[in-house]
Amino acid sequence: MRANWGALHWYITSVFLAGLMVLGWATTTAAWMPALALAAAVGISERFLVAVRDDLSVSLTNIVVLTAIVIVGTGEAILATLGVVPVFFGMARNQRILRGIFNSSQLPLSAVAAAGVYVAVLSVADSAFPSAHSLLAIALAALAYALVNYALVAGAISLSTPDRFWTTLLTAVRPMLVQVPSSAALSALAALLWLQSPWAVLFIAVPVLVARYALTTFNQVDSAYDELVRGFVTAIEMKDEYTRGHSERVSRLSELVAEDLGLPYDQRR
């Protein structure tokens, strides 16, 4: 299965237009000063991406967005996602323009899904933050954010690589099991600290860095394995200049054949 570039372009255009509509709605309801401050926080968090696989990364932006939903409101939380725009397009030499457009557009959709779930749960329970119902609402909002985020990204990957949608989405299950509970807990803690004093939110930096470390460990195991194998190959090929680089070339050709056969990401690795 080869990349379906025509369908991919339509998909990215659809996500872009949907994200633009959500942002347009948010501008009519949000206060700009809190939204700009939150956008700066989102921009900082987006600089600390953690790779789940070669073409799929996660960040801690969801913690900022979830906290914003609780302490400020839906509109401000959605506008805060604009903080990713300078980050994605500042990395233009490392990624194509379409990827930057897509990543910038899908985050407002994830944010509005999380906000909708949070507001709906509190409305049904007739409750407000802080309460037991609000903690459940934050947890479900974190799950909604992650599902929409990963599903949109999996859709783009399935159209641009041989990977199928569901197999791509399943590769995100393991980091999601860490990301959703930790982001919900950290967002609730940040909101509680904010009620005491806005400056108290700075104390959330330590557990946030711990959460990032937990996500990073998933990727480090694969990277360490790659480096170990590459080290063995290099040591073996050093003895014969004629075959030097042979293993790397066979590896690349094997990957291309596997892509044409439509093998999933885990088997290609």
Side-chain angles (χ1 to χ4, degrees):
M1 176 182 167
R2 295 183 180 276
N4 190 343
W5 296 112
L8 177 64
H9 291 160
W10 279 110
Y11 179 76
I12 292 176
T13 301
S14 300
V15 172
F16 171 72
L17 293 175
L20 206 59
M21 290 175 62
V22 170
L23 287 169
W25 171 81
T27 58
T28 65
T29 63
W32 278 96
M33 287 304 293
L36 289 175
L38 289 165
V42 166
I44 294 172
S45 66
E46 202 63 33
R47 294 295 299 177
F48 295 94
L49 288 171
V50 178
V52 177
R53 45 178 279 179
D54 295 341
D55 47 9
L56 178 60
S57 300
V58 297
S59 71
L60 301 177
T61 296
N62 58 332
I63 297 176
V64 179
V65 173
L66 290 169
T67 305
I69 291 171
V70 177
I71 66 175
V72 186
T74 300
E76 289 81 0
I78 293 171
L79 289 182
T81 61
L82 289 172
V84 306
V85 175
V87 177
F88 285 140
F89 288 95
M91 298 164 62
R93 65 177 180 271
N94 296 328
Q95 56 182 312
R96 296 180 178 178
I97 191 72
L98 282 177
R99 182 176 295 182
I101 293 173
F102 173 77
N103 287 332
S104 301
S105 303
Q106 56 93 6
L107 287 180
L109 301 180
S110 303
V112 76
V117 170
Y118 179 78
V119 172
V121 172
L122 289 186
S123 178
V124 170
D126 191 21
S127 183
F129 184 85
S131 67
H133 292 111
S134 67
L135 296 179
L136 174 63
I138 293 172
L140 293 176
L143 179 62
Y145 184 100
L147 286 175
V148 172
N149 181 223
Y150 284 125
L152 289 172
V153 174
I157 291 175
S158 66
L159 291 172
S160 58
T161 71
D163 294 343
R164 298 181 183 276
F165 174 81
W166 288 111
T167 55
T168 302
L169 192 59
L170 286 174
T171 62
V173 169
R174 188 172 60 171
M176 195 185 300
L177 292 175
V178 175
Q179 184 186 20
V180 171
S182 61
S183 61
L186 290 171
S187 300
L189 177 59
L192 287 170
L193 290 172
W194 180 273
L195 292 179
Q196 302 302 314
S197 169
W199 292 107
V201 177
L202 295 177
F203 289 106
I204 206 69
V206 174
V208 165
L209 291 175
V210 172
R212 181 179 184 272
Y213 175 78
L215 288 171
T216 304
T217 55
F218 285 122
N219 189 49
Q220 286 179 336
V221 174
D222 283 342
S223 298
Y225 174 77
D226 289 346
E227 292 302 320
L228 179 63
V229 173
R230 186 169 284 108
F232 280 132
V233 170
T234 301
I236 293 171
E237 292 187 344
M238 284 292 290
K239 297 180 178 180
D240 191 344
E241 188 171 342
Y242 178 75
T243 60
R244 191 171 299 170
H246 172 74
S247 297
E248 290 284 352
R249 292 191 294 271
V250 171
S251 172
R252 180 57 184 156
L253 287 172
S254 300
E255 184 179 9
L256 293 173
V257 171
E259 287 180 359
D260 277 345
L261 291 174
L263 297 181
Y265 175 79
D266 289 337
Q267 289 187 31
R268 294 203 307 272
R269 271 195 60 81

